[in-house]
mmCIF file of all heavy atoms in Angstrom:
data_model
loop_
_atom_site.group_PDB
_atom_site.id
_atom_site.type_symbol
_atom_site.label_atom_id
_atom_site.label_comp_id
_atom_site.label_asym_id
_atom_site.label_seq_id
_atom_site.Cartn_x
_atom_site.Cartn_y
_atom_site.Cartn_z
ATOM 1 N N SER N 27 -19.412 12.778 -27.836
ATOM 2 C CA SER N 27 -20.831 13.037 -27.988
ATOM 3 C C SER N 27 -20.938 14.479 -28.476
ATOM 4 O O SER N 27 -20.384 15.389 -27.865
ATOM 5 C CB SER N 27 -21.535 12.864 -26.640
ATOM 6 O OG SER N 27 -22.870 13.288 -26.731
ATOM 7 N N VAL N 28 -21.625 14.669 -29.598
ATOM 8 C CA VAL N 28 -21.663 15.976 -30.244
ATOM 9 C C VAL N 28 -23.081 16.544 -30.197
ATOM 10 O O VAL N 28 -24.047 15.850 -30.529
ATOM 11 C CB VAL N 28 -21.170 15.872 -31.705
ATOM 12 C CG1 VAL N 28 -21.256 17.205 -32.416
ATOM 13 C CG2 VAL N 28 -19.746 15.322 -31.737
ATOM 14 N N ARG N 29 -23.167 17.786 -29.773
ATOM 15 C CA ARG N 29 -24.433 18.511 -29.774
ATOM 16 C C ARG N 29 -24.190 19.837 -30.485
ATOM 17 O O ARG N 29 -23.254 20.554 -30.135
ATOM 18 C CB ARG N 29 -24.930 18.753 -28.346
ATOM 19 C CG ARG N 29 -26.271 19.470 -28.317
ATOM 20 C CD ARG N 29 -26.786 19.645 -26.923
ATOM 21 N NE ARG N 29 -26.996 18.324 -26.327
ATOM 22 C CZ ARG N 29 -27.076 18.104 -25.034
ATOM 23 N NH1 ARG N 29 -26.933 19.088 -24.178
ATOM 24 N NH2 ARG N 29 -27.279 16.890 -24.565
ATOM 25 N N ASN N 30 -25.026 20.142 -31.462
ATOM 26 C CA ASN N 30 -24.887 21.376 -32.250
ATOM 27 C C ASN N 30 -23.490 21.494 -32.855
ATOM 28 O O ASN N 30 -22.908 22.574 -32.890
ATOM 29 C CB ASN N 30 -25.212 22.610 -31.417
ATOM 30 C CG ASN N 30 -26.644 22.609 -30.925
ATOM 31 O OD1 ASN N 30 -27.541 22.161 -31.632
ATOM 32 N ND2 ASN N 30 -26.857 23.090 -29.728
ATOM 33 N N GLY N 31 -22.922 20.365 -33.263
ATOM 34 C CA GLY N 31 -21.632 20.351 -33.932
ATOM 35 C C GLY N 31 -20.421 20.373 -33.013
ATOM 36 O O GLY N 31 -19.295 20.248 -33.478
ATOM 37 N N GLU N 32 -20.625 20.527 -31.703
ATOM 38 C CA GLU N 32 -19.503 20.612 -30.762
ATOM 39 C C GLU N 32 -19.572 19.494 -29.725
ATOM 40 O O GLU N 32 -20.643 19.030 -29.357
ATOM 41 C CB GLU N 32 -19.518 21.969 -30.064
ATOM 42 C CG GLU N 32 -19.327 23.114 -31.040
ATOM 43 C CD GLU N 32 -19.418 24.472 -30.377
ATOM 44 O OE1 GLU N 32 -19.857 24.556 -29.216
ATOM 45 O OE2 GLU N 32 -19.045 25.449 -31.032
ATOM 46 N N ILE N 33 -18.395 19.104 -29.256
ATOM 47 C CA ILE N 33 -18.305 18.028 -28.264
ATOM 48 C C ILE N 33 -18.861 18.516 -26.927
ATOM 49 O O ILE N 33 -18.445 19.547 -26.414
ATOM 50 C CB ILE N 33 -16.847 17.565 -28.094
ATOM 51 C CG1 ILE N 33 -16.300 17.022 -29.412
ATOM 52 C CG2 ILE N 33 -16.740 16.530 -26.967
ATOM 53 C CD1 ILE N 33 -14.806 16.763 -29.403
ATOM 54 N N ASP N 34 -19.824 17.759 -26.372
ATOM 55 C CA ASP N 34 -20.348 18.101 -25.052
ATOM 56 C C ASP N 34 -20.036 17.024 -24.009
ATOM 57 O O ASP N 34 -20.277 17.208 -22.819
ATOM 58 C CB ASP N 34 -21.844 18.389 -25.093
ATOM 59 C CG ASP N 34 -22.700 17.171 -25.389
ATOM 60 O OD1 ASP N 34 -22.180 16.172 -25.936
ATOM 61 O OD2 ASP N 34 -23.900 17.211 -25.079
ATOM 62 N N TYR N 35 -19.469 15.909 -24.454
ATOM 63 C CA TYR N 35 -19.096 14.806 -23.565
ATOM 64 C C TYR N 35 -18.146 13.933 -24.356
ATOM 65 O O TYR N 35 -18.260 13.825 -25.574
ATOM 66 C CB TYR N 35 -20.345 14.012 -23.163
ATOM 67 C CG TYR N 35 -20.152 12.973 -22.085
ATOM 68 C CD1 TYR N 35 -20.113 13.341 -20.747
ATOM 69 C CD2 TYR N 35 -20.030 11.631 -22.406
ATOM 70 C CE1 TYR N 35 -19.966 12.379 -19.751
ATOM 71 C CE2 TYR N 35 -19.881 10.672 -21.413
ATOM 72 C CZ TYR N 35 -19.848 11.048 -20.091
ATOM 73 O OH TYR N 35 -19.702 10.115 -19.107
ATOM 74 N N LEU N 36 -17.210 13.301 -23.667
ATOM 75 C CA LEU N 36 -16.172 12.542 -24.357
ATOM 76 C C LEU N 36 -15.814 11.323 -23.525
ATOM 77 O O LEU N 36 -15.587 11.434 -22.323
ATOM 78 C CB LEU N 36 -14.951 13.448 -24.517
ATOM 79 C CG LEU N 36 -13.743 12.948 -25.255
ATOM 80 C CD1 LEU N 36 -14.078 12.666 -26.711
ATOM 81 C CD2 LEU N 36 -12.641 13.995 -25.177
ATOM 82 N N GLU N 37 -15.789 10.164 -24.163
ATOM 83 C CA GLU N 37 -15.361 8.936 -23.503
ATOM 84 C C GLU N 37 -14.062 8.463 -24.137
ATOM 85 O O GLU N 37 -13.944 8.437 -25.359
ATOM 86 C CB GLU N 37 -16.423 7.851 -23.620
ATOM 87 C CG GLU N 37 -17.684 8.184 -22.858
ATOM 88 C CD GLU N 37 -18.792 7.169 -23.080
ATOM 89 O OE1 GLU N 37 -18.622 6.233 -23.885
ATOM 90 O OE2 GLU N 37 -19.846 7.342 -22.458
ATOM 91 N N HIS N 38 -13.113 8.095 -23.305
ATOM 92 C CA HIS N 38 -11.835 7.552 -23.765
ATOM 93 C C HIS N 38 -11.796 6.088 -23.375
ATOM 94 O O HIS N 38 -11.865 5.747 -22.204
ATOM 95 C CB HIS N 38 -10.674 8.312 -23.109
ATOM 96 C CG HIS N 38 -9.332 7.725 -23.397
ATOM 97 N ND1 HIS N 38 -8.252 7.951 -22.592
ATOM 98 C CD2 HIS N 38 -8.883 6.928 -24.393
ATOM 99 C CE1 HIS N 38 -7.204 7.322 -23.080
ATOM 100 N NE2 HIS N 38 -7.559 6.688 -24.173
ATOM 101 N N ASN N 39 -11.686 5.234 -24.378
ATOM 102 C CA ASN N 39 -11.524 3.803 -24.141
ATOM 103 C C ASN N 39 -10.041 3.502 -24.312
ATOM 104 O O ASN N 39 -9.561 3.334 -25.434
ATOM 105 C CB ASN N 39 -12.371 2.999 -25.124
ATOM 106 C CG ASN N 39 -12.330 1.524 -24.840
ATOM 107 O OD1 ASN N 39 -11.728 1.086 -23.867
ATOM 108 N ND2 ASN N 39 -12.956 0.750 -25.689
ATOM 109 N N PRO N 40 -9.293 3.479 -23.202
ATOM 110 C CA PRO N 40 -7.841 3.256 -23.292
ATOM 111 C C PRO N 40 -7.507 1.819 -23.660
ATOM 112 O O PRO N 40 -8.218 0.888 -23.300
ATOM 113 C CB PRO N 40 -7.333 3.561 -21.884
ATOM 114 C CG PRO N 40 -8.484 4.095 -21.122
ATOM 115 C CD PRO N 40 -9.726 3.703 -21.848
ATOM 116 N N HIS N 41 -6.409 1.671 -24.352
ATOM 117 C CA HIS N 41 -5.880 0.343 -24.651
ATOM 118 C C HIS N 41 -4.715 0.111 -23.682
ATOM 119 O O HIS N 41 -3.574 0.408 -23.973
ATOM 120 C CB HIS N 41 -5.407 0.262 -26.106
ATOM 121 C CG HIS N 41 -4.926 -1.090 -26.489
ATOM 122 N ND1 HIS N 41 -5.766 -2.180 -26.577
ATOM 123 C CD2 HIS N 41 -3.695 -1.545 -26.797
ATOM 124 C CE1 HIS N 41 -5.074 -3.236 -26.919
ATOM 125 N NE2 HIS N 41 -3.808 -2.886 -27.053
ATOM 126 N N TYR N 42 -5.062 -0.375 -22.489
ATOM 127 C CA TYR N 42 -4.085 -0.503 -21.411
ATOM 128 C C TYR N 42 -2.970 -1.496 -21.705
ATOM 129 O O TYR N 42 -1.909 -1.418 -21.118
ATOM 130 C CB TYR N 42 -4.782 -0.889 -20.108
ATOM 131 C CG TYR N 42 -5.674 0.188 -19.560
ATOM 132 C CD1 TYR N 42 -7.050 -0.002 -19.474
ATOM 133 C CD2 TYR N 42 -5.146 1.394 -19.121
ATOM 134 C CE1 TYR N 42 -7.868 0.977 -18.962
ATOM 135 C CE2 TYR N 42 -5.955 2.393 -18.610
ATOM 136 C CZ TYR N 42 -7.322 2.176 -18.531
ATOM 137 O OH TYR N 42 -8.129 3.155 -18.031
ATOM 138 N N LEU N 43 -3.208 -2.444 -22.605
ATOM 139 C CA LEU N 43 -2.199 -3.458 -22.884
ATOM 140 C C LEU N 43 -1.176 -3.007 -23.918
ATOM 141 O O LEU N 43 -0.189 -3.692 -24.150
ATOM 142 C CB LEU N 43 -2.871 -4.751 -23.345
ATOM 143 C CG LEU N 43 -3.810 -5.392 -22.325
ATOM 144 C CD1 LEU N 43 -4.439 -6.651 -22.907
ATOM 145 C CD2 LEU N 43 -3.078 -5.703 -21.032
ATOM 146 N N ALA N 44 -1.415 -1.859 -24.542
ATOM 147 C CA ALA N 44 -0.472 -1.359 -25.543
ATOM 148 C C ALA N 44 0.856 -1.032 -24.877
ATOM 149 O O ALA N 44 0.899 -0.520 -23.767
ATOM 150 C CB ALA N 44 -1.038 -0.114 -26.207
ATOM 151 N N LYS N 45 1.919 -1.347 -25.555
ATOM 152 C CA LYS N 45 3.264 -1.046 -25.051
ATOM 153 C C LYS N 45 3.980 -0.181 -26.058
ATOM 154 O O LYS N 45 4.209 -0.629 -27.182
ATOM 155 C CB LYS N 45 4.055 -2.334 -24.814
ATOM 156 C CG LYS N 45 3.429 -3.258 -23.806
ATOM 157 C CD LYS N 45 3.420 -2.641 -22.432
ATOM 158 C CE LYS N 45 2.817 -3.627 -21.442
ATOM 159 N NZ LYS N 45 2.169 -3.061 -20.341
ATOM 160 N N PRO N 46 4.279 1.037 -25.755
ATOM 161 C CA PRO N 46 3.936 1.719 -24.509
ATOM 162 C C PRO N 46 2.503 2.243 -24.545
ATOM 163 O O PRO N 46 1.973 2.543 -25.612
ATOM 164 C CB PRO N 46 4.930 2.881 -24.459
ATOM 165 C CG PRO N 46 5.170 3.211 -25.889
ATOM 166 C CD PRO N 46 5.097 1.890 -26.631
ATOM 167 N N SER N 47 1.895 2.340 -23.395
ATOM 168 C CA SER N 47 0.554 2.894 -23.285
ATOM 169 C C SER N 47 0.620 4.405 -23.465
ATOM 170 O O SER N 47 1.537 5.057 -22.973
ATOM 171 C CB SER N 47 -0.023 2.560 -21.909
ATOM 172 O OG SER N 47 -1.260 3.226 -21.745
ATOM 173 N N ILE N 48 -0.352 4.951 -24.169
ATOM 174 C CA ILE N 48 -0.410 6.406 -24.321
ATOM 175 C C ILE N 48 -1.608 6.995 -23.576
ATOM 176 O O ILE N 48 -1.909 8.174 -23.718
ATOM 177 C CB ILE N 48 -0.431 6.826 -25.811
ATOM 178 C CG1 ILE N 48 -1.674 6.305 -26.514
ATOM 179 C CG2 ILE N 48 0.847 6.397 -26.508
ATOM 180 C CD1 ILE N 48 -1.886 6.907 -27.910
ATOM 181 N N ALA N 49 -2.266 6.182 -22.763
ATOM 182 C CA ALA N 49 -3.458 6.648 -22.048
ATOM 183 C C ALA N 49 -3.161 7.882 -21.196
ATOM 184 O O ALA N 49 -3.955 8.835 -21.173
ATOM 185 C CB ALA N 49 -4.035 5.532 -21.186
ATOM 186 N N GLY N 50 -2.053 7.895 -20.512
ATOM 187 C CA GLY N 50 -1.701 9.048 -19.678
ATOM 188 C C GLY N 50 -1.436 10.285 -20.507
ATOM 189 O O GLY N 50 -1.830 11.393 -20.130
ATOM 190 N N ARG N 51 -0.778 10.115 -21.656
ATOM 191 C CA ARG N 51 -0.515 11.256 -22.544
ATOM 192 C C ARG N 51 -1.818 11.819 -23.107
ATOM 193 O O ARG N 51 -1.973 13.034 -23.241
ATOM 194 C CB ARG N 51 0.404 10.838 -23.682
ATOM 195 C CG ARG N 51 1.828 10.574 -23.233
ATOM 196 C CD ARG N 51 2.738 10.118 -24.354
ATOM 197 N NE ARG N 51 2.657 10.962 -25.539
ATOM 198 C CZ ARG N 51 2.829 10.502 -26.792
ATOM 199 N NH1 ARG N 51 3.102 9.236 -27.006
ATOM 200 N NH2 ARG N 51 2.747 11.328 -27.813
ATOM 201 N N ILE N 52 -2.752 10.947 -23.435
ATOM 202 C CA ILE N 52 -4.053 11.399 -23.938
ATOM 203 C C ILE N 52 -4.775 12.179 -22.853
ATOM 204 O O ILE N 52 -5.308 13.265 -23.099
ATOM 205 C CB ILE N 52 -4.900 10.211 -24.437
ATOM 206 C CG1 ILE N 52 -4.253 9.576 -25.669
ATOM 207 C CG2 ILE N 52 -6.333 10.648 -24.728
ATOM 208 C CD1 ILE N 52 -4.863 8.262 -26.102
ATOM 209 N N SER N 53 -4.796 11.640 -21.636
ATOM 210 C CA SER N 53 -5.450 12.312 -20.520
ATOM 211 C C SER N 53 -4.836 13.691 -20.267
ATOM 212 O O SER N 53 -5.553 14.680 -20.102
ATOM 213 C CB SER N 53 -5.358 11.450 -19.261
ATOM 214 O OG SER N 53 -5.977 12.089 -18.181
ATOM 215 N N ASP N 54 -3.510 13.754 -20.250
ATOM 216 C CA ASP N 54 -2.828 15.036 -20.038
ATOM 217 C C ASP N 54 -3.173 16.030 -21.141
ATOM 218 O O ASP N 54 -3.428 17.208 -20.873
ATOM 219 C CB ASP N 54 -1.316 14.839 -19.975
ATOM 220 C CG ASP N 54 -0.862 14.102 -18.727
ATOM 221 O OD1 ASP N 54 -1.661 13.963 -17.774
ATOM 222 O OD2 ASP N 54 0.306 13.643 -18.713
ATOM 223 N N ALA N 55 -3.199 15.564 -22.382
ATOM 224 C CA ALA N 55 -3.512 16.447 -23.507
ATOM 225 C C ALA N 55 -4.948 16.951 -23.429
ATOM 226 O O ALA N 55 -5.207 18.137 -23.643
ATOM 227 C CB ALA N 55 -3.272 15.719 -24.830
ATOM 228 N N LEU N 56 -5.884 16.067 -23.109
ATOM 229 C CA LEU N 56 -7.283 16.492 -22.990
ATOM 230 C C LEU N 56 -7.449 17.549 -21.901
ATOM 231 O O LEU N 56 -8.165 18.533 -22.088
ATOM 232 C CB LEU N 56 -8.190 15.290 -22.719
ATOM 233 C CG LEU N 56 -8.366 14.321 -23.884
ATOM 234 C CD1 LEU N 56 -9.112 13.074 -23.427
ATOM 235 C CD2 LEU N 56 -9.084 14.995 -25.049
ATOM 236 N N THR N 57 -6.759 17.361 -20.787
ATOM 237 C CA THR N 57 -6.822 18.340 -19.705
ATOM 238 C C THR N 57 -6.230 19.672 -20.156
ATOM 239 O O THR N 57 -6.810 20.735 -19.910
ATOM 240 C CB THR N 57 -6.078 17.804 -18.466
ATOM 241 O OG1 THR N 57 -6.700 16.580 -18.055
ATOM 242 C CG2 THR N 57 -6.130 18.798 -17.323
ATOM 243 N N GLU N 58 -5.115 19.614 -20.842
ATOM 244 C CA GLU N 58 -4.469 20.826 -21.342
ATOM 245 C C GLU N 58 -5.348 21.560 -22.361
ATOM 246 O O GLU N 58 -5.408 22.787 -22.377
ATOM 247 C CB GLU N 58 -3.133 20.445 -21.980
ATOM 248 C CG GLU N 58 -2.296 21.606 -22.438
ATOM 249 C CD GLU N 58 -0.977 21.118 -23.018
ATOM 250 O OE1 GLU N 58 -0.206 20.457 -22.288
ATOM 251 O OE2 GLU N 58 -0.737 21.400 -24.211
ATOM 252 N N ILE N 59 -6.051 20.815 -23.185
ATOM 253 C CA ILE N 59 -6.922 21.389 -24.209
ATOM 254 C C ILE N 59 -8.159 22.037 -23.586
ATOM 255 O O ILE N 59 -8.702 22.987 -24.140
ATOM 256 C CB ILE N 59 -7.312 20.304 -25.239
ATOM 257 C CG1 ILE N 59 -6.075 19.891 -26.044
ATOM 258 C CG2 ILE N 59 -8.435 20.761 -26.150
ATOM 259 C CD1 ILE N 59 -6.247 18.605 -26.833
ATOM 260 N N GLY N 60 -8.588 21.552 -22.432
ATOM 261 C CA GLY N 60 -9.738 22.165 -21.775
ATOM 262 C C GLY N 60 -10.848 21.219 -21.383
ATOM 263 O O GLY N 60 -11.983 21.642 -21.141
ATOM 264 N N PHE N 61 -10.522 19.930 -21.298
ATOM 265 C CA PHE N 61 -11.519 18.957 -20.854
ATOM 266 C C PHE N 61 -11.266 18.595 -19.400
ATOM 267 O O PHE N 61 -10.125 18.588 -18.934
ATOM 268 C CB PHE N 61 -11.479 17.697 -21.726
ATOM 269 C CG PHE N 61 -12.099 17.907 -23.067
ATOM 270 C CD1 PHE N 61 -11.362 18.438 -24.111
ATOM 271 C CD2 PHE N 61 -13.431 17.617 -23.289
ATOM 272 C CE1 PHE N 61 -11.923 18.664 -25.353
ATOM 273 C CE2 PHE N 61 -14.014 17.833 -24.523
ATOM 274 C CZ PHE N 61 -13.257 18.361 -25.563
#
């Protein structure tokens, strides 16, 4: 969700059935980036 050109909210729709799943890697990266 973008306000004034910048992200102010973010939803991640994980694909849990993917093998291998990258949902955990995405979550870790978002946390590291500052979310």
